[in-house]
């Protein structure tokens, strides 16, 4: 049993011009692969599809924060930090 209880966060903005590498399916594959390779227990996947990269009031992101506060997860895995958001000051705040 891993000491890390992981929440995978996946986001795709409808206003982003994206490559296939940023697709929801690809982000899920990448985060799943990372967790399997590192023997991390994934508790839940939090997916915001079609939400702005600058707005942090996204349903799955808010649930992720709540689950952290409740102690359900203690680690967040993302494809890259831009998936958390593009407002780097706020991303830094959450880090």
């Amino acid at each position: 049993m891993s000491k890390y209880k992981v929440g995978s966060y996946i986001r795709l903005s409808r206003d982003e011009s994206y490559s296939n590498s940023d697709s929801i399916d690809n982000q899920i594959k990448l985060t799943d692969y990372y967790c399997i390779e590192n023997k991390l227990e994934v508790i839940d996947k939090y997916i915001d599809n079609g939400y702005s990269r600058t707005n942090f009031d996204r349903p799955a992101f808010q649930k992720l924060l709540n689950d952290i506060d409740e102690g359900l997860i203690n680690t967040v895995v993302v494809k890259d930090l831009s998936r958390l958001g593009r407002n780097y000051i706020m991303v830094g705040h959450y880090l």
Side-chain angles (χ1 to χ4, degrees):
M1 194 72 141
S2 173
K3 65 181 175 181
Y4 300 105
K5 299 181 290 185
V6 173
S8 296
Y9 183 71
I10 289 100
R11 181 189 61 81
L12 185 65
S13 175
R14 69 175 162 262
D15 62 335
E16 284 181 307
S17 153
Y18 65 92
S19 66
N20 189 42
S21 68
D22 287 331
S23 73
I24 295 292
D25 289 339
N26 193 59
Q27 289 180 61
I28 291 170
K29 287 176 189 171
L30 288 170
T31 55
D32 283 353
Y33 177 78
Y34 179 84
C35 291
I36 290 167
E37 287 295 306
N38 291 283
K39 297 176 177 56
L40 301 173
E41 178 186 10
V42 178
I43 303 301
D44 206 350
K45 293 179 182 156
Y46 304 83
I47 301 171
D48 280 320
N49 192 1
Y51 285 87
S52 171
R53 56 191 171 221
T54 57
N55 177 4
F56 286 88
D57 190 26
R58 304 180 293 248
F61 187 74
Q62 292 304 311
K63 182 176 183 328
L64 172 86
L65 294 178
N66 184 67
D67 287 356
I68 291 169
D69 288 343
E70 295 291 322
L72 298 174
I73 62 171
N74 59 17
T75 305
V76 177
V77 172
V78 294
K79 175 189 171 265
D80 61 54
L81 290 179
S82 73
R83 298 304 87 205
L84 284 180
R86 297 288 174 104
N87 178 334
Y88 293 114
I89 292 173
M90 287 304 296
V91 169
H93 167 76
Y94 288 115
L95 290 175

